[in-house]
């Protein structure tokens, strides 16, 4: 019915928005703190005890936990609202599992990008010039939000599901907006491609 469709669209918007808010909020804080700490005397003391890579990994993990707490908090509020409206059937355990997987992927993309940029520049103005190209790619799901949500199994949505770093955002939008299950091979392939691409990028950047 029209009511079920509108309710599904609402739940899709909430899930996808939560993913965006949680990953980009922590990513922005990570970028800012990395730049600020480079000019701090405290950083020199810290680096005398740990390596730069250990410090960077620790920062990413720390902000990742903060982002995860935000996701659980906002997600819990959304589930509470659905429960109060007796519509918890709109969110299946499979969706929650995929939300966790795609959250990890999204945060991996955003955090490593922000941390790398923060380590390479000395102020936020320089950072913006480096972050902008990647952000334009990440904005694609927002630009195509309406056509993807209206046809989550269409050709456009399927193609965009394999374009990193937009994979987790597009796939989460498709999974929650579709009235029919997304093909399992597409879900598994997007996960493998997303994490595989993240791993290869990290290896290349370390050389």
């Amino acid at each position: 019915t029209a009511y079920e469709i509108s309710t599904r669209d609402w739940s899709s918007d909430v899930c996808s928005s939560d993913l965006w808010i949680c990953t980009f909020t922590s990513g922005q804080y990570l970028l800012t703190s990395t730049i600020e700490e480079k000019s701090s005397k405290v950083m020199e003391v810290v680096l005398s005890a740990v390596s730069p890579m250990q410090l960077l990994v620790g920062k990413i993990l720390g902000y990742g936990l903060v982002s995860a707490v935000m996701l659980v908090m906002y997600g819990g509020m959304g589930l509470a609202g659905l429960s109060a409206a007796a519509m918890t059937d709109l969110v299946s355990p499979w969706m929650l599992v995929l939300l966790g997987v795609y959250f990890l992927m999204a945060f991996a993309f955003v955090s490593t990008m922000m941390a790398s940029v923060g380590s390479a520049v000395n102020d936020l103005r320089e950072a913006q010039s480096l972050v902008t190209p990647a952000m334009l790619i990440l904005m694609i799901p927002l630009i195509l939000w309406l056509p993807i949500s209206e046809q989550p199994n269409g050709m456009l949505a399927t193609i965009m599901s394999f374009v990193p770093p937009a994979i987790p955002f597009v796939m989460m939008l498709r999974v929650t907006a579709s009235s029919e299950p997304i093909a399992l091979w597409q879900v598994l392939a997007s996960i493998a491609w997303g994490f595989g691409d993240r791993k290869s990028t990290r290896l290349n950047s370390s050389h």
Side-chain angles (χ1 to χ4, degrees):
T1 64
Y3 176 74
E4 292 176 339
I5 293 175
S6 63
T7 306
R8 188 183 302 113
D9 290 342
W10 177 82
S11 63
S12 173
D13 292 343
V14 170
C15 288
S16 300
S17 298
D18 283 351
L19 190 62
W20 272 93
I21 292 172
C22 294
T23 53
F24 279 96
T25 298
S26 294
Q28 187 62 41
Y29 279 125
L30 178 62
L31 173 64
T32 304
S33 65
T34 302
I35 294 175
E36 291 177 348
E37 290 173 359
K38 286 178 63 179
S39 58
S40 173
K41 296 296 183 181
V42 177
M43 182 61 67
E44 298 178 3
V45 178
V46 175
L47 288 176
S48 65
V50 298
S51 67
M53 182 58 67
Q54 290 174 329
L55 178 63
L56 190 59
V57 170
K59 287 174 64 67
I60 291 176
L61 292 178
Y63 280 105
L65 290 176
V66 172
S67 186
V69 170
M70 292 173 57
L71 184 69
V72 171
M73 182 178 66
Y74 292 144
M77 293 172 60
L79 289 176
L82 290 175
S83 178
M87 293 185 297
T88 52
D89 57 312
L90 291 175
V91 180
S92 66
W94 176 240
M95 286 185 183
L96 296 178
V97 170
L98 290 180
L99 177 61
V101 172
Y102 286 122
F103 163 74
L104 292 176
M105 186 188 300
F107 186 77
F109 277 124
V110 175
S111 63
T112 52
M113 177 184 69
M114 295 297 188
S116 299
V117 171
S119 301
V121 301
N122 296 315
D123 57 58
L124 286 175
R125 183 176 298 178
E126 294 179 16
Q128 293 302 322
S129 63
L130 292 179
V131 170
T132 298
M135 288 299 296
L136 290 176
I137 298 177
L138 290 170
M139 290 294 289
I140 292 177
L142 289 179
I143 298 173
L144 301 177
W145 190 296
L146 187 59
I148 290 177
S149 61
E150 289 182 344
Q151 294 184 328
N153 286 306
M155 181 64 70
L156 175 62
T158 302
I159 293 174
M160 291 307 304
S161 298
F162 299 97
V163 179
I167 293 174
F169 306 104
V170 173
M171 283 301 298
M172 203 62 231
L173 180 59
R174 292 183 62 198
V175 168
T176 54
S178 179
S179 58
E180 300 177 356
I182 301 298
L184 182 60
W185 74 266
Q186 294 184 21
V187 175
L188 297 178
S190 69
I191 293 173
W193 177 246
F195 282 111
D197 179 78
R198 179 68 261 148
K199 182 178 180 180
S200 63
T201 301
R202 185 173 65 251
L203 290 174
N204 290 334
S205 62
S206 65
H207 291 306

